[in-house]
Amino acid sequence: SLEQAQSIPVFTMASTASAMLRRAVQRSVAPSLSLGKPTALPVSIRSATTKAASPETPLMHYTSTQQATSSINHRIFYVNVVAMVLVYDIGSSMLDI
């Protein structure tokens, strides 16, 4: 009987908390579900998606700067290190060395 008396407040607190949570979710979801008239995009934004991009420097005439080349090589170096460690690890596990 003591266990029943202690479990009743816990049950009522849990049901009250779940009811409060349910109401809070309903209040927050209701405004976002209202269906409004979709707004049309301005012509300038819509036409930008149909035009081809023209780069400032055509790719056939592009020469990278020394800083850009160094940056790319630095990033590729770490990819190569990871690949070599992976090859070594898989190879040694297959050969039981």
Side-chain angles (χ1 to χ4, degrees):
S1 178
L2 181 62
E3 291 176 9
Q4 288 178 347
Q6 289 177 347
S7 66
I8 291 173
V10 171
F11 177 73
T12 56
M13 285 191 301
S15 64
T16 304
S18 66
M20 288 173 52
L21 179 64
R22 195 175 305 120
R23 272 186 259 134
V25 168
Q26 286 175 348
R27 285 183 191 152
S28 65
V29 171
S32 65
L33 290 179
S34 64
L35 298 174
K37 183 178 178 183
T39 58
L41 293 175
V43 176
S44 62
I45 295 176
R46 254 188 290 143
S47 64
T49 59
T50 59
K51 295 181 181 177
S54 60
E56 293 179 12
T57 306
L59 295 179
M60 59 188 289
H61 301 298
Y62 177 76
T63 55
S64 62
T65 63
Q66 195 273 332
Q67 183 179 1
T69 305
S70 297
S71 176
I72 292 170
N73 289 340
H74 187 257
R75 292 176 187 178
I76 293 174
F77 171 76
Y78 288 111
V79 173
N80 286 335
V81 168
V82 169
M84 292 307 298
V85 169
L86 186 65
V87 166
Y88 177 78
D89 189 36
I90 292 173
S92 63
S93 68
M94 290 172 66
L95 297 175
D96 289 333
I97 294 178

Coordinates of all heavy atoms in Angstrom, one line a residue:
S1 N 0.8 -1.2 0.0 CA 0.0 0.0 0.0 C 0.9 1.3 0.0 O 0.5 2.3 -0.6 CB -0.9 0.0 1.2 OG -1.7 1.1 1.3
L2 N 2.0 1.2 0.7 CA 3.0 2.3 0.7 C 3.5 2.5 -0.7 O 3.7 3.7 -1.1 CB 4.1 2.0 1.7 CG 5.1 3.1 1.8 CD1 4.4 4.4 2.3 CD2 6.2 2.7 2.8
E3 N 3.8 1.4 -1.4 CA 4.3 1.6 -2.8 C 3.3 2.2 -3.7 O 3.6 3.0 -4.6 CB 4.7 0.2 -3.3 CG 5.9 -0.4 -2.7 CD 6.2 -1.8 -3.2 OE1 5.6 -2.2 -4.1 OE2 7.1 -2.5 -2.6
Q4 N 2.0 1.9 -3.5 CA 1.0 2.4 -4.3 C 0.8 3.9 -4.0 O 0.6 4.7 -4.9 CB -0.4 1.7 -4.0 CG -0.5 0.3 -4.6 CD -1.8 -0.3 -4.3 OE1 -2.5 0.2 -3.4 NE2 -2.1 -1.4 -4.9
A5 N 1.0 4.3 -2.8 CA 0.9 5.7 -2.4 C 2.0 6.5 -3.0 O 1.8 7.7 -3.4 CB 0.8 5.9 -0.9
Q6 N 3.2 5.9 -3.1 CA 4.3 6.6 -3.7 C 4.3 6.6 -5.2 O 4.8 7.6 -5.8 CB 5.7 6.0 -3.2 CG 5.9 6.2 -1.7 CD 7.2 5.5 -1.3 OE1 7.7 4.6 -2.0 NE2 7.7 5.8 -0.1
S7 N 3.7 5.6 -5.8 CA 3.7 5.6 -7.3 C 2.6 6.5 -7.9 O 2.7 6.9 -9.0 CB 3.5 4.1 -7.7 OG 2.2 3.7 -7.4
I8 N 1.6 6.8 -7.1 CA 0.5 7.7 -7.6 C 1.1 9.1 -7.9 O 0.8 9.6 -9.0 CB -0.7 7.7 -6.7 CG1 -1.4 6.4 -6.7 CG2 -1.6 8.8 -7.0 CD1 -2.5 6.2 -5.6
P9 N 1.8 9.7 -7.1 CA 2.3 11.1 -7.4 C 3.3 11.0 -8.7 O 3.3 11.9 -9.5 CB 3.1 11.5 -6.2 CG 2.5 10.8 -5.1 CD 2.1 9.5 -5.7
V10 N 4.0 9.9 -8.8 CA 4.9 9.8 -9.9 C 4.1 9.7 -11.2 O 4.4 10.3 -12.2 CB 5.9 8.6 -9.7 CG1 6.7 8.4 -11.0 CG2 6.8 8.8 -8.5
F11 N 3.1 8.9 -11.1 CA 2.2 8.7 -12.3 C 1.5 10.0 -12.7 O 1.5 10.4 -13.9 CB 1.2 7.6 -12.0 CG 0.2 7.4 -13.2 CD1 0.7 6.8 -14.4 CD2 -1.1 7.9 -13.1 CE1 -0.2 6.7 -15.4 CE2 -1.9 7.7 -14.1 CZ -1.5 7.1 -15.3
T12 N 1.0 10.7 -11.7 CA 0.3 12.0 -12.0 C 1.3 13.0 -12.5 O 1.0 13.8 -13.4 CB -0.4 12.5 -10.8 OG1 0.5 12.7 -9.7 CG2 -1.6 11.6 -10.4
M13 N 2.6 13.1 -12.0 CA 3.6 14.0 -12.5 C 3.9 13.7 -13.9 O 4.1 14.6 -14.7 CB 4.8 14.0 -11.6 CG 4.6 14.7 -10.2 SD 6.1 14.9 -9.3 CE 6.7 13.3 -9.1
A14 N 4.1 12.4 -14.2 CA 4.4 12.0 -15.5 C 3.3 12.3 -16.5 O 3.6 12.8 -17.6 CB 4.7 10.5 -15.6
S15 N 2.1 12.1 -16.2 CA 1.0 12.4 -17.1 C 0.8 13.9 -17.3 O 0.5 14.4 -18.3 CB -0.3 11.8 -16.6 OG -0.7 12.3 -15.3
T16 N 1.1 14.7 -16.2 CA 1.0 16.1 -16.3 C 2.1 16.6 -17.2 O 1.9 17.5 -18.0 CB 1.1 16.7 -14.9 OG1 0.1 16.2 -14.0 CG2 1.0 18.3 -15.0
A17 N 3.3 16.1 -17.0 CA 4.4 16.5 -17.8 C 4.2 16.2 -19.3 O 4.5 17.0 -20.2 CB 5.7 15.9 -17.3
S18 N 3.6 15.0 -19.6 CA 3.4 14.6 -21.0 C 2.3 15.5 -21.6 O 2.3 15.8 -22.7 CB 3.1 13.1 -21.1 OG 1.8 12.9 -20.4
A19 N 1.3 15.8 -20.8 CA 0.2 16.7 -21.3 C 0.8 18.1 -21.6 O 0.4 18.7 -22.6 CB -0.9 16.8 -20.3
M20 N 1.6 18.6 -20.7 CA 2.2 19.9 -21.0 C 3.1 19.9 -22.2 O 3.1 20.8 -23.0 CB 3.0 20.4 -19.7 CG 2.2 20.7 -18.5 SD 3.1 21.1 -17.1 CE 4.3 22.3 -17.6
L21 N 3.9 18.9 -22.4 CA 4.7 18.7 -23.5 C 3.9 18.6 -24.8 O 4.2 19.3 -25.8 CB 5.6 17.5 -23.4 CG 6.6 17.2 -24.6 CD1 7.6 18.4 -24.7 CD2 7.3 15.9 -24.4
R22 N 2.8 17.9 -24.8 CA 1.9 17.7 -25.9 C 1.3 19.1 -26.3 O 1.3 19.4 -27.5 CB 0.8 16.7 -25.6 CG 0.1 16.2 -26.8 CD -0.9 15.1 -26.5 NE -0.3 14.0 -25.8 CZ -0.6 13.6 -24.5 NH1 -1.6 14.2 -23.9 NH2 0.0 12.6 -24.0
R23 N 0.9 19.9 -25.3 CA 0.3 21.2 -25.6 C 1.4 22.1 -26.2 O 1.1 22.9 -27.1 CB -0.3 21.8 -24.3 CG -1.7 21.4 -24.1 CD -2.4 22.1 -23.0 NE -2.4 21.1 -21.9 CZ -2.0 21.4 -20.6 NH1 -1.6 22.6 -20.3 NH2 -2.0 20.5 -19.7
A24 N 2.6 22.1 -25.6 CA 3.6 22.9 -26.2 C 4.0 22.6 -27.6 O 4.2 23.5 -28.4 CB 4.9 22.8 -25.3
V25 N 4.0 21.3 -27.9 CA 4.3 20.9 -29.3 C 3.2 21.3 -30.2 O 3.4 21.8 -31.3 CB 4.5 19.4 -29.4 CG1 4.6 18.9 -30.8 CG2 5.8 19.0 -28.7
Q26 N 1.9 21.2 -29.8 CA 0.8 21.6 -30.6 C 0.8 23.1 -30.9 O 0.6 23.6 -32.0 CB -0.5 21.2 -30.0 CG -0.8 19.8 -30.0 CD -2.1 19.4 -29.2 OE1 -2.6 20.2 -28.5 NE2 -2.5 18.2 -29.4
R27 N 1.2 23.9 -29.9 CA 1.3 25.3 -30.1 C 2.4 25.8 -31.0 O 2.2 26.7 -31.8 CB 1.5 26.0 -28.7 CG 0.3 26.1 -27.9 CD 0.5 26.8 -26.6 NE -0.6 26.6 -25.7 CZ -0.4 26.7 -24.4 NH1 0.7 26.9 -23.8 NH2 -1.5 26.5 -23.6
S28 N 3.5 25.1 -30.9 CA 4.6 25.5 -31.8 C 4.5 25.0 -33.2 O 5.0 25.6 -34.1 CB 5.9 24.9 -31.2 OG 6.0 23.5 -31.2
V29 N 3.8 23.8 -33.4 CA 3.6 23.3 -34.7 C 2.5 23.9 -35.5 O 2.5 24.1 -36.7 CB 3.4 21.7 -34.7 CG1 3.0 21.2 -36.0 CG2 4.7 21.1 -34.1
A30 N 1.5 24.4 -34.8 CA 0.3 24.9 -35.5 C 0.6 26.1 -36.4 O 0.1 26.1 -37.5 CB -0.8 25.3 -34.4
P31 N 1.4 27.1 -35.9 CA 1.6 28.2 -36.9 C 2.4 27.8 -38.1 O 2.2 28.4 -39.2 CB 2.4 29.2 -36.0 CG 2.1 28.9 -34.6 CD 1.8 27.4 -34.6
S32 N 3.3 26.9 -37.9 CA 4.1 26.5 -39.1 C 3.3 25.6 -40.1 O 3.7 25.5 -41.2 CB 5.4 25.7 -38.6 OG 5.0 24.5 -38.0
L33 N 2.2 25.0 -39.7 CA 1.4 24.2 -40.6 C 0.4 25.1 -41.4 O -0.2 24.5 -42.3 CB 0.7 23.1 -39.8 CG 1.5 22.0 -39.2 CD1 0.7 21.0 -38.5 CD2 2.3 21.3 -40.3
S34 N 0.2 26.3 -41.0 CA -0.8 27.1 -41.7 C -0.3 27.3 -43.2 O 0.9 27.7 -43.4 CB -0.9 28.5 -41.0 OG 0.3 29.2 -41.1
L35 N -1.2 27.0 -44.1 CA -0.8 27.1 -45.5 C -1.1 28.5 -46.0 O -2.2 28.9 -46.1 CB -1.6 26.1 -46.3 CG -1.4 24.6 -45.9 CD1 -2.4 23.7 -46.7 CD2 0.0 24.2 -46.2
G36 N 0.0 29.2 -46.4 CA -0.2 30.5 -46.9 C 0.0 30.5 -48.4 O 0.5 29.4 -49.0
K37 N -0.2 31.6 -49.1 CA 0.0 31.6 -50.5 C 1.5 31.7 -50.8 O 2.2 32.5 -50.2 CB -0.7 32.9 -51.0 CG -0.6 33.0 -52.5 CD -1.3 34.3 -53.0 CE -1.2 34.4 -54.5 NZ -1.8 35.6 -55.0
P38 N 2.0 30.8 -51.6 CA 3.4 30.8 -51.9 C 3.8 32.1 -52.6 O 3.1 32.6 -53.5 CB 3.7 29.6 -52.8 CG 2.3 29.2 -53.3 CD 1.3 29.7 -52.3
T39 N 4.9 32.7 -52.2 CA 5.4 33.9 -52.8 C 6.2 33.6 -54.1 O 6.9 32.7 -54.1 CB 6.3 34.7 -51.8 OG1 7.4 33.9 -51.5 CG2 5.5 35.1 -50.6
A40 N 5.9 34.4 -55.1 CA 6.6 34.2 -56.4 C 8.0 34.9 -56.3 O 8.2 35.9 -55.6 CB 5.8 34.9 -57.5
L41 N 9.0 34.3 -56.9 CA 10.3 34.8 -56.9 C 10.4 36.0 -57.9 O 9.7 36.0 -58.9 CB 11.3 33.7 -57.3 CG 11.5 32.6 -56.3 CD1 12.4 31.5 -56.9 CD2 12.1 33.1 -55.0
P42 N 11.2 37.0 -57.6 CA 11.4 38.1 -58.5 C 12.0 37.5 -59.8 O 12.7 36.5 -59.8 CB 12.4 39.0 -57.8 CG 12.3 38.7 -56.4 CD 11.9 37.2 -56.3
V43 N 11.8 38.2 -60.9 CA 12.3 37.7 -62.2 C 13.8 37.6 -62.2 O 14.3 36.7 -62.8 CB 11.8 38.7 -63.3 CG1 12.3 38.3 -64.7 CG2 10.2 38.7 -63.4
S44 N 14.5 38.5 -61.6 CA 15.9 38.5 -61.6 C 16.5 37.3 -60.9 O 17.5 36.8 -61.3 CB 16.5 39.8 -60.9 OG 16.1 39.8 -59.5
I45 N 15.8 36.8 -59.9 CA 16.3 35.6 -59.2 C 16.0 34.3 -60.1 O 16.8 33.4 -60.2 CB 15.7 35.4 -57.8 CG1 16.2 36.6 -57.0 CG2 16.1 34.1 -57.2 CD1 15.6 36.6 -55.6
R46 N 14.8 34.3 -60.7 CA 14.3 33.2 -61.4 C 15.2 33.0 -62.7 O 15.5 31.9 -63.1 CB 12.9 33.3 -61.8 CG 12.0 32.4 -61.1 CD 10.6 32.3 -61.6 NE 10.0 33.6 -61.3 CZ 9.1 34.3 -62.1 NH1 8.8 33.7 -63.2 NH2 8.6 35.4 -61.7
S47 N 15.5 34.1 -63.3 CA 16.3 34.0 -64.6 C 17.7 33.6 -64.3 O 18.4 33.1 -65.2 CB 16.2 35.3 -65.4 OG 16.8 36.3 -64.6
A48 N 18.2 33.8 -63.1 CA 19.6 33.5 -62.8 C 19.9 32.0 -62.9 O 21.0 31.5 -63.1 CB 20.0 34.0 -61.5
T49 N 18.8 31.2 -62.6 CA 19.0 29.7 -62.6 C 19.0 29.2 -64.0 O 19.4 28.0 -64.2 CB 17.9 29.1 -61.8 OG1 16.7 29.4 -62.3 CG2 18.0 29.5 -60.3
T50 N 18.5 29.9 -65.0 CA 18.5 29.4 -66.3 C 19.7 29.8 -67.2 O 19.8 29.2 -68.3 CB 17.2 29.9 -67.0 OG1 17.2 31.3 -67.1 CG2 15.9 29.4 -66.3
K51 N 20.4 30.7 -66.7 CA 21.6 31.2 -67.5 C 22.8 30.4 -67.1 O 23.0 29.9 -66.0 CB 21.9 32.7 -67.2 CG 20.8 33.6 -67.7 CD 21.1 35.0 -67.4 CE 20.0 35.9 -67.9 NZ 20.3 37.3 -67.6
A52 N 23.7 30.2 -68.1 CA 25.0 29.5 -67.8 C 25.9 30.5 -67.1 O 25.9 31.7 -67.4 CB 25.6 29.1 -69.1
A53 N 26.7 30.0 -66.2 CA 27.7 30.8 -65.5 C 28.8 31.1 -66.4 O 29.3 30.2 -67.1 CB 28.2 30.1 -64.3
S54 N 29.3 32.3 -66.5 CA 30.5 32.7 -67.2 C 31.6 33.1 -66.3 O 31.5 34.1 -65.6 CB 30.2 33.9 -68.2 OG 29.8 35.0 -67.4
P55 N 32.6 32.2 -66.1 CA 33.6 32.5 -65.2 C 34.4 33.8 -65.6 O 34.5 34.1 -66.8 CB 34.5 31.3 -65.2 CG 34.2 30.6 -66.5 CD 32.8 31.0 -66.8
E56 N 35.0 34.4 -64.7 CA 35.8 35.6 -65.0 C 37.1 35.2 -65.8 O 37.5 35.9 -66.7 CB 36.2 36.3 -63.7 CG 35.1 37.0 -63.0 CD 35.5 37.7 -61.7 OE1 36.7 37.8 -61.5 OE2 34.6 38.0 -60.9
T57 N 37.7 34.1 -65.4 CA 38.8 33.6 -66.1 C 38.4 32.3 -66.8 O 38.1 31.3 -66.1 CB 40.0 33.3 -65.2 OG1 40.3 34.5 -64.4 CG2 41.2 32.8 -65.9
P58 N 38.4 32.2 -68.1 CA 38.1 30.9 -68.7 C 39.0 29.8 -68.3 O 40.2 30.0 -68.1 CB 38.2 31.2 -70.2 CG 38.1 32.7 -70.3 CD 38.7 33.2 -69.1
L59 N 38.5 28.6 -68.1 CA 39.3 27.5 -67.5 C 40.4 27.1 -68.5 O 41.4 26.6 -68.0 CB 38.3 26.3 -67.2 CG 37.3 26.6 -66.2 CD1 36.4 25.4 -66.0 CD2 38.0 27.0 -64.9
M60 N 40.3 27.3 -69.8 CA 41.3 26.9 -70.7 C 42.6 27.8 -70.5 O 43.7 27.5 -70.9 CB 40.9 26.8 -72.1 CG 40.3 28.1 -72.6 SD 39.5 28.0 -74.2 CE 40.9 27.7 -75.3
H61 N 42.3 29.0 -70.0 CA 43.4 30.0 -69.8 C 43.8 30.2 -68.4 O 44.6 31.0 -68.0 CB 43.0 31.4 -70.4 CG 42.7 31.3 -71.8 ND1 43.6 31.0 -72.8 CD2 41.5 31.6 -72.5 CE1 43.0 31.0 -74.0 NE2 41.7 31.4 -73.8
Y62 N 43.3 29.3 -67.5 CA 43.5 29.5 -66.1 C 44.9 29.0 -65.7 O 45.3 27.9 -66.1 CB 42.5 28.7 -65.3 CG 42.7 28.7 -63.8 CD1 42.4 29.8 -63.0 CD2 43.2 27.6 -63.1 CE1 42.6 29.9 -61.7 CE2 43.4 27.7 -61.7 CZ 43.1 28.8 -61.0 OH 43.3 28.8 -59.7
T63 N 45.7 29.8 -64.9 CA 46.9 29.3 -64.3 C 46.8 29.6 -62.9 O 46.5 30.7 -62.5 CB 48.1 30.1 -64.9 OG1 47.9 31.5 -64.8 CG2 48.3 29.7 -66.4
S64 N 47.1 28.6 -62.1 CA 46.9 28.7 -60.6 C 48.1 29.5 -60.1 O 49.2 29.4 -60.6 CB 46.8 27.4 -60.0 OG 48.0 26.6 -60.2
T65 N 47.9 30.2 -59.0 CA 49.0 30.9 -58.3 C 49.8 29.8 -57.5 O 49.4 28.7 -57.3 CB 48.4 31.9 -57.3 OG1 47.6 31.3 -56.3 CG2 47.5 32.9 -58.0
Q66 N 50.9 30.2 -57.1 CA 51.8 29.3 -56.3 C 51.2 29.0 -55.0 O 51.3 27.8 -54.5 CB 53.2 30.0 -56.1 CG 54.3 29.1 -55.7 CD 54.4 28.9 -54.2 OE1 54.0 29.8 -53.4 NE2 54.8 27.7 -53.8
Q67 N 50.5 29.9 -54.4 CA 49.8 29.6 -53.1 C 48.7 28.6 -53.3 O 48.6 27.7 -52.4 CB 49.3 30.9 -52.5 CG 48.7 30.8 -51.2 CD 48.1 32.1 -50.6 OE1 48.2 33.1 -51.3 NE2 47.6 32.0 -49.4
A68 N 47.9 28.7 -54.3 CA 46.8 27.7 -54.6 C 47.4 26.4 -54.8 O 46.9 25.4 -54.3 CB 46.0 28.2 -55.7
T69 N 48.5 26.3 -55.6 CA 49.1 25.0 -55.9 C 49.7 24.4 -54.6 O 49.5 23.2 -54.4 CB 50.2 25.2 -56.9 OG1 49.7 25.8 -58.1 CG2 50.8 23.9 -57.4
S70 N 50.3 25.2 -53.8 CA 50.9 24.6 -52.6 C 49.8 24.1 -51.6 O 49.9 23.1 -51.0 CB 51.7 25.7 -51.9 OG 52.8 26.1 -52.6
S71 N 48.6 24.9 -51.6 CA 47.5 24.5 -50.7 C 46.9 23.1 -51.2 O 46.7 22.3 -50.4 CB 46.5 25.6 -50.7 OG 45.4 25.2 -50.0
I72 N 46.7 23.0 -52.5 CA 46.2 21.8 -53.0 C 47.1 20.6 -52.8 O 46.7 19.5 -52.3 CB 45.8 21.9 -54.5 CG1 44.7 22.9 -54.7 CG2 45.5 20.6 -55.1 CD1 44.4 23.3 -56.1
N73 N 48.4 20.8 -53.0 CA 49.4 19.7 -52.8 C 49.5 19.4 -51.3 O 49.6 18.2 -51.0 CB 50.8 20.2 -53.3 CG 50.8 20.2 -54.8 OD1 50.0 19.6 -55.5 ND2 51.8 21.0 -55.3
H74 N 49.3 20.3 -50.4 CA 49.4 20.1 -49.0 C 48.2 19.2 -48.6 O 48.3 18.3 -47.8 CB 49.4 21.4 -48.3 CG 49.6 21.2 -46.8 ND1 48.6 21.3 -45.9 CD2 50.7 21.0 -46.1 CE1 49.1 21.2 -44.7 NE2 50.3 21.0 -44.7
R75 N 47.0 19.5 -49.2 CA 45.8 18.7 -48.8 C 45.9 17.3 -49.4 O 45.6 16.3 -48.8 CB 44.6 19.4 -49.3 CG 44.3 20.6 -48.6 CD 43.1 21.4 -49.2 NE 43.0 22.7 -48.5 CZ 42.1 23.5 -48.9 NH1 41.2 23.3 -49.8 NH2 42.0 24.7 -48.2
I76 N 46.4 17.2 -50.6 CA 46.6 15.8 -51.3 C 47.6 15.0 -50.5 O 47.5 13.8 -50.5 CB 46.9 16.0 -52.8 CG1 45.7 16.6 -53.5 CG2 47.2 14.7 -53.4 CD1 45.9 17.0 -54.9
F77 N 48.6 15.6 -50.0 CA 49.6 14.9 -49.2 C 49.0 14.1 -48.1 O 49.3 12.9 -47.9 CB 50.7 15.9 -48.7 CG 51.7 15.2 -47.7 CD1 52.7 14.4 -48.2 CD2 51.5 15.4 -46.3 CE1 53.6 13.8 -47.3 CE2 52.4 14.8 -45.5 CZ 53.4 14.0 -45.9
Y78 N 48.1 14.7 -47.3 CA 47.5 14.0 -46.2 C 46.6 12.9 -46.7 O 46.5 11.8 -46.1 CB 46.7 15.0 -45.3 CG 47.7 15.8 -44.5 CD1 47.8 17.2 -44.8 CD2 48.5 15.3 -43.5 CE1 48.7 18.0 -44.0 CE2 49.3 16.0 -42.8 CZ 49.4 17.4 -43.1 OH 50.3 18.1 -42.3
V79 N 45.9 13.0 -47.9 CA 45.1 11.9 -48.4 C 46.0 10.8 -48.8 O 45.7 9.6 -48.5 CB 44.4 12.4 -49.7 CG1 43.7 11.3 -50.4 CG2 43.4 13.5 -49.3
N80 N 47.2 11.1 -49.3 CA 48.2 10.0 -49.7 C 48.7 9.3 -48.4 O 48.9 8.1 -48.4 CB 49.3 10.6 -50.5 CG 48.9 10.9 -51.9 OD1 48.0 10.3 -52.4 ND2 49.6 11.8 -52.5
V81 N 48.9 10.0 -47.4 CA 49.4 9.4 -46.1 C 48.4 8.5 -45.6 O 48.7 7.3 -45.2 CB 49.8 10.5 -45.1 CG1 50.0 9.9 -43.7 CG2 51.0 11.3 -45.5
V82 N 47.1 8.9 -45.5 CA 46.0 8.0 -45.0 C 45.9 6.8 -45.9 O 45.7 5.7 -45.4 CB 44.7 8.8 -45.0 CG1 43.5 7.9 -44.7 CG2 44.8 9.9 -43.9
A83 N 46.0 7.0 -47.2 CA 45.9 5.8 -48.1 C 47.0 4.8 -47.9 O 46.8 3.6 -47.9 CB 45.9 6.3 -49.6
M84 N 48.2 5.3 -47.7 CA 49.4 4.4 -47.5 C 49.2 3.7 -46.2 O 49.6 2.5 -46.1 CB 50.7 5.2 -47.6 CG 51.0 5.7 -49.0 SD 50.9 4.4 -50.2 CE 52.2 3.3 -49.7
V85 N 48.8 4.3 -45.1 CA 48.6 3.7 -43.8 C 47.5 2.6 -44.0 O 47.6 1.5 -43.5 CB 48.2 4.7 -42.7 CG1 47.7 4.0 -41.5 CG2 49.4 5.6 -42.5
L86 N 46.4 2.9 -44.7 CA 45.4 1.9 -44.9 C 45.9 0.7 -45.7 O 45.6 -0.4 -45.3 CB 44.2 2.6 -45.7 CG 43.0 1.8 -45.9 CD1 42.3 1.5 -44.5 CD2 42.0 2.5 -46.8
V87 N 46.7 1.0 -46.8 CA 47.2 -0.1 -47.6 C 48.1 -1.0 -46.7 O 48.1 -2.2 -46.7 CB 47.9 0.4 -48.8 CG1 48.8 -0.7 -49.5 CG2 46.9 1.0 -49.8
Y88 N 49.0 -0.3 -45.9 CA 49.9 -1.1 -45.0 C 49.1 -1.9 -44.0 O 49.5 -3.1 -43.8 CB 50.8 -0.1 -44.3 CG 51.8 -0.8 -43.4 CD1 52.9 -1.5 -43.8 CD2 51.5 -0.8 -42.0 CE1 53.7 -2.1 -42.9 CE2 52.3 -1.4 -41.1 CZ 53.5 -2.1 -41.6 OH 54.3 -2.7 -40.7
D89 N 48.1 -1.3 -43.4 CA 47.4 -2.0 -42.4 C 46.6 -3.2 -43.0 O 46.6 -4.3 -42.4 CB 46.4 -1.1 -41.7 CG 45.7 -1.6 -40.5 OD1 46.4 -2.4 -39.8 OD2 44.6 -1.3 -40.3
I90 N 45.9 -3.0 -44.1 CA 45.2 -4.1 -44.7 C 46.2 -5.2 -45.2 O 45.9 -6.4 -45.0 CB 44.3 -3.6 -45.9 CG1 43.2 -2.7 -45.3 CG2 43.8 -4.7 -46.7 CD1 42.4 -2.0 -46.4
G91 N 47.3 -4.8 -45.8 CA 48.2 -5.7 -46.3 C 48.9 -6.6 -45.2 O 49.0 -7.8 -45.3
S92 N 49.2 -5.9 -44.1 CA 49.8 -6.7 -43.0 C 48.8 -7.6 -42.3 O 49.1 -8.7 -41.8 CB 50.4 -5.7 -42.0 OG 49.5 -4.9 -41.4
S93 N 47.5 -7.2 -42.3 CA 46.5 -8.1 -41.7 C 46.2 -9.3 -42.6 O 45.9 -10.4 -42.1 CB 45.2 -7.3 -41.4 OG 44.6 -6.9 -42.6
M94 N 46.4 -9.1 -43.9 CA 46.1 -10.2 -44.8 C 47.3 -11.2 -44.8 O 47.1 -12.4 -45.0 CB 45.9 -9.7 -46.2 CG 44.5 -9.0 -46.4 SD 44.3 -8.2 -47.9 CE 44.3 -9.5 -49.1
L95 N 48.5 -10.7 -44.6 CA 49.7 -11.5 -44.6 C 50.1 -12.1 -43.3 O 51.0 -12.9 -43.2 CB 50.9 -10.8 -45.2 CG 50.7 -10.3 -46.7 CD1 51.9 -9.4 -47.1 CD2 50.5 -11.5 -47.6
D96 N 49.5 -11.6 -42.2 CA 49.8 -12.0 -40.8 C 51.2 -11.8 -40.5 O 52.0 -12.7 -40.0 CB 49.4 -13.5 -40.6 CG 47.9 -13.7 -40.5 OD1 47.2 -12.7 -40.2 OD2 47.4 -14.8 -40.9
I97 N 51.7 -10.6 -40.8 CA 53.1 -10.3 -40.5 C 53.2 -9.8 -39.0 O 52.5 -9.1 -38.5 CB 53.7 -9.2 -41.4 CG1 53.7 -9.8 -42.8 CG2 55.0 -8.7 -41.0 CD1 54.1 -8.8 -43.9

